[in-house]
Amino acid sequence: MPDTLCVQSLIDTDFYKLTMQQAYLHQLPNAEGVWEFRCRTDEDLTPYVAEIREQLVALADLRVTEDQLTYLRSRAPYLKDDYLAFLRLFRFNMAQLNVGIEKGCLAIKVQGPQLHVSPFEIPVMATVSEIRNRTLYPEVDEEQIRKSTRNKIQQLEQFGDSVDLSDFRFFDFGTRRRFSYRAQYIVTDMLKQALPQQFGGTSNIHLAQELHLPFLGTMAHEWLQTHQGLNYRLVDSQKAALENWVREYRGDLGVALTDVIGVDAFCRDLDRYFAKLYDGFRHDSGDPVVWGEKIIRRLEELRVDPIRKTLVFSDGLDFARAVQIYKHFKGRIQTSFGIGTWLMADFEVNKPLNVVMKMVSLGGQPVAKISDSPGKTMCHDRAFLTYLMEVFAVDAGVREHILLSAGQGV
């Protein structure tokens, strides 16, 4: 076992991985998925392959504790007893994991039932990031982390001198690309102490328990992608995903993702029924102001008062950008902000790693995420990607841009 573990426990992950896993257990326990890692930046990660593999193999030793189960049961009553019983038995299966080098790049792939392979996503990304950072940036010690975080806290406090931030709320969404576990712990604790009115909690369950903070999460892109490979007409897959999420959580966890096919296609599928059922919508790609205006306009068309809904912004934010968005929408609709990489991986003297791990097929069939930022599109099958865009009436100019920018993913 490695001397220093990158992942501290089975719940050292984003909360949405548990809510996704419960939905898979109840609704499609046998769906077979394939997930692949990708580094979005031009960086050679192959020197770290052996250490990354050693860390990931150690995941198999993780177990949820009875204390953690009691904690989850008390904080998330919508996690059902049968799922918590399953979680007690859950282990990462190393037979489903492959770590190596392909075409000169770090290659990580997991394959098996979604129920079992989906949880690999966050630990894989956090591990790759931490191993790389240990080697490249030994100067990012606790003193540097605290210094950089104090500067960020002062920046938000200065914004408060000219902007009413009484309703401004942000959350830690940084587990997947964190500099290290220790860095995330330090920053989260500092934010809790310095900004109790603005800092609402973390997506990381382990840290929430350790630091006595709320944890939170929304549905994931994988939920909507999964429905592309199920027994629904492709044109109905997004609506089926939204319907099945409501069926699972019955009013809890009511924030919908909008950018698996793009916000325009989402708005066409967003009828009055869904607009009233869902509490809010999450932005994860494209221009956040343009996106928010489209959501507000659609709600108004459906005769749903936007002020009763929440826009959750989570794409590449820092405090300056988040406050700018907050000011734009203040008084028109509720807002909250998930801030990840900038808080948990950017400490002024280092360059954060931009990595993802996405599902690429289900049941042997390709799936795709057509982001509102074309560079985020990930799909191995160009024909399927083209067909998906035709089915959902993606603008012809946007289609061409997506196909050109999708690169090796297509």
Side-chain angles (χ1 to χ4, degrees):
M1 180 177 291
D3 292 335
T4 305
L5 292 175
C6 296
V7 178
Q8 303 298 301
S9 76
L10 201 63
I11 63 169
D12 180 14
T13 190
D14 284 338
F15 177 56
Y16 79 79
K17 299 311 298 188
L18 272 63
T19 58
M20 294 302 314
Q21 194 177 39
Q22 173 171 287
Y24 291 141
L25 175 68
H26 291 161
Q27 298 191 29
L28 38 131
N30 299 315
E32 291 270 333
V34 177
W35 291 64
E36 293 184 1
F37 170 90
R38 181 194 291 178
C39 181
R40 287 175 172 166
T41 52
D42 184 17
E43 183 171 344
D44 182 12
L45 300 174
T46 58
Y48 318 119
V49 168
E51 193 171 359
I52 289 169
R53 184 186 292 113
E54 182 184 24
Q55 285 278 345
L56 294 180
V57 167
L59 294 175
D61 296 322
L62 298 179
R63 309 283 190 272
V64 69
T65 68
E66 292 304 315
D67 176 65
Q68 290 168 343
L69 288 169
T70 299
Y71 173 73
L72 288 168
R73 190 175 286 111
S74 66
R75 296 300 196 279
Y78 40 82
L79 294 180
K80 305 297 192 298
D81 288 343
D82 67 328
Y83 170 66
L84 294 177
F86 169 85
L87 191 62
R88 180 183 283 112
L89 300 173
F90 175 75
R91 307 288 185 269
F92 282 104
N93 183 351
M94 292 304 111
Q96 296 166 338
L97 171 72
N98 184 272
V99 182
I101 300 174
E102 292 182 8
K103 299 179 181 178
C105 297
L106 170 66
I108 303 176
K109 179 178 178 179
V110 293
Q111 182 171 356
Q114 284 281 76
L115 179 64
H116 293 274
V117 299
S118 168
F120 273 99
E121 178 193 4
I122 306 302
V124 165
M125 293 171 64
T127 295
V128 172
S129 182
E130 180 162 350
I131 294 300
R132 172 259 198 183
N133 291 332
R134 285 180 189 175
T135 302
L136 289 187
Y137 301 109
E139 70 273 25
V140 180
D141 55 12
E142 182 166 332
E143 181 181 353
Q144 179 62 35
I145 292 167
R146 291 186 180 278
K147 174 186 173 183
S148 176
T149 303
R150 280 194 296 269
N151 290 340
K152 294 170 185 176
I153 290 168
Q154 289 170 5
Q155 182 186 70
L156 186 62
E157 290 172 339
Q158 289 168 1
F159 286 134
D161 294 337
S162 57
V163 181
D164 178 10
L165 296 180
S166 58
D167 295 328
F168 179 82
R169 297 289 182 276
F170 75 96
F171 303 85
D172 158 37
F173 277 17
T175 301
R176 60 184 52 218
R177 298 187 187 100
R178 66 193 182 193
F179 186 88
S180 65
Y181 168 76
R182 181 59 183 163
Q184 189 181 17
Y185 184 101
I186 292 168
V187 175
T188 304
D189 190 38
M190 290 180 69
L191 294 172
K192 174 189 173 183
Q193 302 300 330
L195 299 169
Q197 187 173 2
Q198 283 80 34
F199 183 54
T202 176
S203 62
N204 186 296
I205 317 163
H206 178 89
L207 284 173
Q209 184 177 21
E210 291 289 307
L211 295 172
H212 307 288
L213 284 165
F215 58 77
L216 75 161
T218 67
M219 73 168 62
H221 294 101
E222 65 185 89
W223 182 248
L224 293 103
Q225 287 179 273
T226 294
H227 283 72
Q228 296 170 13
L230 299 178
N231 191 28
Y232 299 100
R233 292 192 312 162
L234 190 57
V235 71
D236 294 328
S237 60
Q238 186 164 231
K239 290 180 285 189
L242 294 173
E243 182 76 47
N244 288 338
W245 189 258
V246 171
R247 183 159 62 92
E248 181 68 32
Y249 289 107
R250 313 297 297 179
D252 287 308
L253 306 175
V255 175
L257 267 165
T258 67
D259 70 331
V260 171
I261 316 284
V263 66
D264 293 332
F266 179 85
C267 285
R268 287 192 291 271
D269 281 345
L270 184 67
D271 58 14
R272 183 170 164 80
Y273 170 75
F274 286 131
K276 295 188 76 173
L277 277 178
Y278 277 88
D279 300 318
F281 310 92
R282 179 156 76 92
H283 171 266
D284 198 47
S285 61
D287 187 303
V289 172
V290 172
W291 172 86
E293 293 293 346
K294 287 182 177 182
I295 296 293
I296 289 174
R297 182 164 62 249
R298 182 57 177 157
L299 291 172
E300 290 173 341
E301 291 171 354
L302 296 170
R303 308 184 313 282
V304 174
D305 186 357
I307 203 65
R308 297 180 179 273
K309 303 296 178 179
T310 299
L311 300 182
V312 180
F313 295 89
S314 61
D315 180 33
L317 295 175
D318 55 21
F319 283 150
R321 187 61 173 141
V323 170
Q324 183 182 22
I325 296 167
Y326 167 79
K327 287 169 60 179
H328 180 87
F329 290 108
K330 186 173 175 60
R332 301 171 59 204
I333 193 167
Q334 306 300 310
T335 57
S336 68
F337 301 88
I339 306 180
T341 303
W342 181 72
L343 279 174
M344 300 301 167
D346 186 346
F347 300 113
E348 300 175 9
V349 298
N350 67 294
K351 181 180 179 181
L353 187 63
N354 188 355
V355 292
V356 294
M357 188 160 185
K358 295 293 184 185
M359 178 173 57
V360 295
S361 71
L362 187 89
Q365 301 300 313
V367 298
K369 172 177 176 284
I370 304 173
S371 165
D372 286 312
S373 297
K376 288 188 172 183
T377 298
M378 191 166 175
C379 179
H380 283 316
D381 191 313
R382 189 181 188 90
F384 175 76
L385 183 60
T386 301
Y387 178 58
L388 184 65
M389 289 190 288
E390 290 175 355
V391 166
F392 281 93
V394 175
D395 178 83
V398 175
R399 288 188 215 178
E400 182 178 0
H401 190 28
I402 286 173
L403 289 171
L404 286 172
S405 63
Q408 295 180 358
V410 177

